[in-house]
């Protein structure tokens, strides 16, 4: 059986305000390579034929292109103008997608394993959608204004990326109008009426949100280098 | 105004099956001191008069006492037999409580700050209950059998310890019968009809659940040593 063709949309739209650093977090270095380059490489390693689209704010395009030249980063990828919100960036990217299966991945999750990427594509090929989740390890609580109540943690999961979809699923989902409640691609696909299929995510597939997360990721990387190389 | 007298019940009942180590995680070393000793020290530093009760499985009592002698750990604390579940351990400890305010703290959260401990006691003194929470940083999802749906992450918080209560609040709560759905002390107090007051927890107040958490905690500790000393 022929394998479905693949695209990954890597979102690198963040302007980095939360990091206490002028440089957006996708450009920070992990073992001499920018975080974004790591993320790109993970997908390229799974399938050298994969189409790689990177959504980047227009203002950072020249910087990134210069950085790629400086470090001789050769993995082919296409830059897509980042839109106002992540939603608009992905909608822009969707116009260029050629793969039958489309992954969306946070550029600031450089430690995703090839295994998870592969399995997510596989599940999406079978079922249309694939969403990696990890259990919440601690107790969780619902809070809304003055209302607060304990929840059964067994029912709550943290959502990761890559989230993978058959192309038409993602395209249909992004025809929906933008609103602020869209938290991730799977939530949008759900809104569009698709059933979301889950698979097991990874403890180390951390998203860099705070300066501490980057330290954490450096620690994980140092200890598991052979796994990523 | 006289300050309320204080007790902390530190739970160290874990037999460590999840850690891939024969030694329960509360005894593992962080900068040459067992994790449990760190946790005890944090509370002692906030109030040298605080009553410290440590719930420990009977089978580990001799080990811990020997360890304390070996490292000359001098902070006074009373060992309480751990019960079948955390619930029973705390119920045992409650019989010995003398403080007007009672904190319950996971022995495997050695990096709680003195500030958070102090503020939690203060809030409990004013309002009866105090529960530190931190926002969920990533998207969350509800999963139950075949049902799954995206949630608005703004409404979901991760629960930490120390959870602090006026003594009578905790005592009344622990008169309820045990059941498996009790996830933490605040959820029990809520079941008993008390309103739960929240305060902001701390990113670094991590609970050691996996071997990786311990590495993470060592990293945080090394970088913030002066803060804890």
């Amino acid at each position: 059986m022929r394998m479905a063709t693949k695209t990954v949309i890597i979102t690198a739209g963040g302007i980095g305000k939360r990091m206490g650093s002028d440089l957006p977090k996708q450009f920070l270095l992990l073992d001499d390579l920018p975080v974004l380059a790591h993320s790109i490489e993970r997908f390229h390693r799974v399938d050298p034929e994969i189409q790689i689209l990177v959504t980047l704010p227009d203002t950072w395009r020249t910087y990134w292109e210069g950085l790629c030249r400086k470090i001789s980063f050769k993995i082919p990828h296409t830059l897509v103008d980042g839109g106002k919100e992540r939603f608009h960036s992905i909608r822009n990217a969707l116009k260029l997608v050629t793969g039958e299966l489309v992954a969306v991945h946070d550029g600031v999750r450089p430690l995703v394993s090839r295994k998870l990427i592969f399995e997510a594509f596989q599940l999406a090929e079978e079922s249309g959608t694939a969403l990696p989740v990890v259990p919440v390890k601690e107790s969780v609580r619902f809070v809304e204004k003055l209302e607060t109540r304990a929840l059964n943690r067994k029912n709550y999961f943290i959502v990761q990326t890559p989230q993978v979809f058959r192309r038409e699923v993602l395209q249909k989902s992004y025809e929906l109008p933008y609103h602020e409640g869209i938290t991730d691609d799977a939530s949008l696909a759900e809104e569009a009426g698709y059933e979301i299929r889950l698979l097991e995510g990874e403890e180390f597939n951390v998203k860099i949100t705070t300066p501490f997360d980057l330290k954490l990721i450096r620690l994980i990387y140092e200890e598991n280098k052979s796994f990523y190389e």
Side-chain angles (χ1 to χ4, degrees), chain A:
Chain A
M1 204 182 81
R2 185 183 69 85
M3 275 187 72
T5 56
K6 301 183 188 68
T7 295
V8 60
I9 300 170
I10 297 181
T11 57
I15 53 166
K17 280 193 180 151
R18 265 199 286 186
M19 282 292 283
S21 150
D22 288 329
L23 200 61
K25 45 199 184 292
Q26 61 269 25
F27 302 131
L28 297 173
L29 296 183
L30 171 63
D31 195 38
D32 297 335
L33 205 63
V35 162
L36 178 57
H38 279 274
S39 302
I40 291 173
E41 201 175 293
R42 299 292 165 262
F43 284 84
H44 178 73
R45 290 283 191 93
V46 170
D47 177 3
E49 301 297 314
I50 195 171
Q51 179 194 28
I52 301 176
L53 304 174
V54 176
T55 70
L56 198 67
D58 195 37
T59 43
W60 286 100
R61 179 184 277 260
T62 314
Y63 176 85
W64 173 246
E65 287 171 342
L67 193 56
C68 286
R69 276 192 301 277
K70 197 176 140 199
I71 61 171
S72 302
F73 184 71
K74 303 285 192 203
I75 297 175
H77 60 280
T78 304
L79 297 182
V80 179
D81 274 358
K84 192 164 165 270
E85 301 286 343
R86 185 179 181 283
F87 176 90
H88 306 99
S89 302
I90 292 172
R91 198 183 252 175
N92 287 348
L94 275 170
K95 293 173 196 154
L96 304 178
V97 163
T98 59
E100 291 158 323
L101 298 174
V102 187
V104 183
H105 186 65
D106 298 322
V108 289
R109 286 191 196 264
L111 297 191
V112 59
S113 77
R114 280 170 263 175
K115 177 171 174 284
L116 178 56
I117 295 172
F118 182 80
E119 288 175 352
F121 271 111
Q122 211 170 28
L123 178 60
E125 181 159 26
E126 287 161 28
S127 70
T129 64
L131 171 63
V133 297
V134 289
V136 172
K137 288 197 297 183
E138 311 190 24
S139 299
V140 276
R141 176 163 280 268
F142 179 86
V143 180
E144 188 173 40
K145 290 176 188 162
L146 290 174
E147 189 200 344
T148 165
R149 60 171 190 274
L151 301 169
N152 185 345
R153 94 175 86 168
K154 285 181 189 151
N155 295 130
Y156 293 84
F157 288 78
I158 300 290
V159 166
Q160 299 187 336
T161 72
Q163 304 187 1
V164 188
F165 308 88
R166 282 196 205 120
R167 183 176 59 213
E168 64 275 16
V169 171
L170 202 60
Q171 280 170 336
K172 287 274 180 212
S173 305
Y174 273 88
E175 285 171 10
L176 291 177
Y178 172 72
H179 65 87
E180 282 190 1
I182 301 164
T183 58
D184 63 306
D185 308 284
S187 75
L188 188 66
E190 193 163 66
E191 231 177 84
Y194 295 100
E195 192 197 327
I196 304 304
R197 293 289 300 275
L198 308 179
L199 76 161
E200 206 178 313
E202 297 174 320
E203 184 183 8
F204 292 171
N205 183 17
V206 178
K207 183 176 177 177
I208 306 174
T209 309
T210 65
F212 182 73
D213 295 331
L214 183 65
K215 285 176 192 161
L216 170 63
I217 275 191
R218 283 181 176 145
L219 175 73
I220 300 171
Y221 188 78
E222 281 311 310
E223 296 211 340
N224 302 279
K225 231 167 168 171
S226 59
F227 182 76
Y228 294 106
E229 275 170 355

